[in-house]
Amino acid sequence: MSRIATLVSAITLLSGVQTVAPEDDLLLEAQIWAVAEIDLLGELGAFTPNPVAERIAAEYPTPATARFDLLDLLELSEDVNEDLLRDLRDQGRRLSPATIDTLLLVPDEIWDRIVRGEKGFLDPQLWLDGTADLIIRDGRAPEVRDDADHLVILDYLDLPFDDLTEPPPSAAAPPGTAPERSAPTTVAPAADLPTATTVAPAADLPVPTTVPAADDATDDDAVAAVSSTGAEEPTSTDRPPFELIAGVAGGLLLVAAAALARPLRRRRSSAASPAAGLDDLLDTSRRLAAALDGTRVRQIAVSDAMRMTGAEAGAFLATDDGPTRFVEANAAPLFAEGEVTGGLLLRVVETGQPASAVIQDDPAIVRLPMAMAACPVISAGEVIGALVVIRNAASPFDAAATESLRLLAPVVGSALSASAAHRNAVVDAELDGLTNLNNRRRLDRDLASLTDEAASFAMVDVDHFKAFNDTHGHQAGDVALRTVADVLAANVRDEDVVYRYGGEEFSVLLPGATSAEAVRVLDRVRRAVASTDVLDERGQLIGRVTISVGVVEDAGTSTGPSLPEQADRALYEAKSGGRNQVVVADGD
């Protein structure tokens, strides 16, 4: 059998000409085409560097062919994935936001950049996450994502075709997240499978210029038409048929073979696409992913929820930070201020179930009656809020509007989780691990943002710290640094900011303080440190330390040395003058 006929037969087998349960068949197709899209985007150079994406491109290369052929394949892959997403959702499957985004069409502006040949602008993380979710968890999101999940994509590419009814061993779901599977599928006997063939070098592959339409041809006619372009090849067991498919084997041969799998819409058809809502969702998810601030995420969510549903007003009802209340509303007078204590919206967040109704009486809405639709937003298994849209009571929201909110809500939940993780990462990156004070990175940022208002700045050094370390040990030295940090933080003004500058050095930024005010504050700190015992973990006395302080006043017009440099000079004078004192820098 020719290599082309083998490919056609294998894809036909995948597309339903076998006794495989339909739901598993759809998952299998989605897994294959999601991997194929990663391979194509990598071959087109659209991905930024990523180890797994680079290994896929290196180990399963798309045969060398014309660029427009790769673009045709990518367009085909997107069409297939879009149809598969719709079919999977029709089955009632709960898919992760990453899987949904992976199977959706990319926005036109991204497609245009790919067509223009731009390189290295797409983050492959989304495609890898969504495809790994498909392979490991039938499309559902993990409780905790592990970067090692991406490696199952490589394992999956190596599987013989007969093993595709179960994921590879390394793709086993984490404890507690194993997906519910339907009854075991039945695959046609091995004797019915085409014999694996050896793929000829890319240069020898025929490049069809036309693809027969699938609508007017039988499977046999299509197989014959495509097979007539290839020659018989010696059989081999080196590459199973699935590898031919998952590696996007054969360039345009895949286009011809896939015509047997399912009728497809072309992406750039002039006809209106029935999947416009899915395109909108992908556009929204891209913007939400780029919005690392929670407030911005909620603003985008409310705006797009209104656009998708045709609402006149929208809001985000938050439950994760104190009382349940509206924290984002595009028409604030329509939504109640303060805590929401009852009504349909409170039931939505308490039950985690969406709702749509014309409401006559609800404490959350000021002007009634109103048509309202709401959907809970969930993050890490907890309801953290709800998307709410309202409009005139004469135009109730239909099931399609509620479905739009239901699709949007998990994307918003993921974006809010990401923004919280980003915020925590930024905070962690600006904290000193030993003392829990702000670190040098935060100091540099704060100094750069100083306005022309007066401020004072101080450098603080622990006196004879090396001798303390040598006498009591480094562990005791760490205790001494934490003690000094605690005393500093407890004795400055509320508006002052304390930093660990490095080693045994600290610094203090005193907004609005003159040098005289700063000296009063810092001399209080100095006396407090000198009178504080340094105690070990058992509460035993280790000793005491003192500090020296150099202060500089910034009137907002300084063009000389930086504040740390000026304060450091004053610190040197304090130490050389006997230590345990505060010295103000001479004006430059």
Side-chain angles (χ1 to χ4, degrees):
M1 181 179 288
S2 74
R3 61 181 178 274
I4 304 169
T6 298
L7 183 61
V8 170
S9 298
I11 294 184
T12 302
L13 186 64
L14 289 175
S15 62
V17 191
Q18 82 267 45
T19 56
V20 174
E23 61 271 19
D24 282 2
D25 184 38
L26 285 175
L27 279 171
L28 184 57
E29 283 192 78
Q31 291 160 359
I32 289 170
W33 285 99
V35 173
E37 188 162 307
I38 291 174
D39 192 25
L40 284 163
L41 287 168
E43 182 72 11
L44 288 162
F47 283 147
T48 55
N50 177 281
V52 176
E54 289 170 0
R55 284 181 60 186
I56 291 174
E59 297 180 27
Y60 307 94
T62 303
T65 184
R67 178 178 173 79
F68 67 84
D69 294 342
L70 293 178
L71 291 171
D72 276 349
L73 279 171
L74 179 60
E75 188 172 349
L76 172 70
S77 171
E78 288 214 281
D79 280 339
V80 174
N81 282 334
E82 186 187 20
D83 284 345
L84 287 167
L85 174 60
R86 184 176 297 103
D87 293 344
L88 288 168
R89 287 187 45 229
D90 287 346
Q91 290 180 356
R93 289 190 177 272
R94 295 178 63 87
L95 302 175
S96 72
T99 294
I100 292 172
D101 283 353
T102 300
L103 300 180
L104 287 173
L105 293 176
V106 301
D108 284 349
E109 60 270 21
I110 294 180
W111 176 266
D112 292 341
R113 294 183 69 177
I114 295 171
V115 171
R116 289 196 301 268
E118 294 186 32
K119 306 288 185 182
F121 65 93
L122 275 183
D123 185 352
Q125 191 80 17
L126 174 65
W127 279 266
L128 295 172
D129 283 351
T131 303
D133 288 351
L134 270 171
I135 295 174
I136 299 174
R137 293 166 286 269
D138 291 355
R140 289 175 294 192
E143 292 181 2
V144 178
R145 187 175 297 286
D146 186 343
D147 288 342
D149 288 354
H150 298 161
L151 298 179
V152 304
I153 298 172
L154 294 165
D155 295 335
Y156 205 68
L157 286 168
D158 285 327
L159 282 179
F161 187 80
D162 288 345
D163 293 340
L164 287 181
T165 54
E166 294 295 335
S170 64
T177 61
E180 297 177 3
R181 288 188 170 272
S182 56
T185 59
T186 305
V187 179
D192 295 336
L193 291 175
T195 305
T197 61
T198 302
V199 179
D204 298 334
L205 290 174
V207 181
T209 55
T210 59
V211 179
D215 295 338
D216 300 324
T218 65
D219 286 354
D220 292 340
D221 291 338
V223 171
V226 178
S227 298
S228 66
T229 64
E232 295 291 332
E233 293 289 335
T235 61
S236 167
T237 58
D238 290 340
R239 279 176 67 88
F242 175 68
E243 246 181 277
L244 297 176
I245 305 162
V248 200
L252 280 183
L253 302 180
L254 186 54
V255 179
L260 300 176
R262 55 175 64 241
L264 299 172
R265 294 179 315 281
R266 299 308 293 161
R267 175 190 174 95
R268 309 299 159 187
S269 169
S270 58
S273 169
L278 296 180
D279 287 340
D280 285 347
L281 185 62
L282 180 57
D283 288 338
T284 298
S285 67
R286 297 281 194 247
R287 288 186 291 114
L288 287 172
L292 296 177
D293 175 72
T295 299
R296 180 59 182 152
V297 168
R298 290 187 287 268
Q299 289 172 345
I300 295 172
V302 169
S303 173
D304 284 23
M306 291 172 56
R307 177 174 53 80
M308 291 178 180
T309 60
E312 297 170 4
F316 189 92
L317 185 69
T319 64
D320 62 332
D321 186 18
T324 300
R325 60 191 177 86
F326 292 106
V327 296
E328 188 65 42
N330 82 310
L334 295 177
F335 300 95
E337 296 182 1
E339 183 176 2
V340 175
T341 57
L344 181 59
L345 283 181
L346 191 62
R347 289 202 299 274
V348 168
V349 297
E350 287 179 343
T351 64
Q353 297 298 317
S356 177
V358 174
I359 52 176
Q360 305 292 334
D361 183 24
D362 195 295
I365 308 299
V366 173
R367 190 196 309 165
L368 293 168
M370 278 284 182
M372 182 182 71
C375 186
V377 174
I378 299 173
S379 175
E382 300 288 336
V383 176
I384 61 171
L387 277 174
V388 184
V389 290
I390 58 176
R391 66 186 179 197
N392 191 287
S395 303
F397 291 102
D398 58 14
T402 306
E403 176 68 2
S404 294
L405 289 182
R406 192 185 71 80
L407 288 174
L408 178 59
V411 182
V412 175
S414 295
L416 287 172
S417 295
S419 69
H422 174 75
R423 182 178 65 251
N424 292 337
V426 170
V427 171
D428 290 345
E430 294 184 344
L431 288 181
D432 174 61
L434 177 65
T435 64
N436 209 36
L437 293 176
N438 296 296
N439 62 16
R440 177 74 175 274
R441 181 182 292 107
R442 173 64 183 272
L443 171 63
D444 291 342
R445 183 164 66 84
D446 289 353
L447 288 176
S449 63
L450 280 179
T451 65
D452 57 1
E453 296 180 3
S456 288
F457 179 78
M459 291 292 294
V460 179
D461 186 85
V462 180
D463 296 329
H464 302 296
F465 184 71
K466 183 178 185 303
F468 187 94
N469 254 349
D470 292 343
T471 302
H472 302 288
H474 290 286
Q475 187 173 1
D478 287 347
V479 174
L481 292 175
R482 285 195 291 267
T483 301
V484 171
D486 292 343
V487 174
L488 277 167
N491 286 276
V492 296
R493 304 173 306 168
D494 290 343
E495 62 267 37
D496 299 336
V497 188
V498 182
Y499 311 83
R500 185 182 180 194
Y501 195 81
E504 67 270 25
E505 284 191 301
F506 299 85
S507 54
V508 184
L509 182 61
L510 301 95
T514 63
S515 59
E517 292 170 323
V519 167
R520 285 196 295 272
V521 171
L522 293 163
D523 199 56
R524 181 175 68 232
V525 170
R526 179 193 63 79
R527 293 194 304 272
V529 170
S531 62
T532 300
D533 294 335
V534 177
L535 305 176
D536 65 16
E537 58 185 11
R538 295 172 297 178
Q540 300 297 313
L541 177 65
I542 299 174
R544 288 183 177 180
V545 295
T546 61
I547 59 173
S548 298
V549 183
V551 180
V552 61
E553 180 181 345
D554 176 28
T557 58
S558 175
T559 58
S562 68
L563 292 181
E565 288 180 283
Q566 295 178 64
D568 206 45
R569 292 177 186 174
L571 174 62
Y572 178 78
E573 292 180 27
K575 295 181 77 68
S576 60
R579 295 183 171 83
N580 192 21
Q581 59 182 304
V582 179
V583 172
V584 179
D586 295 331
D588 284 354

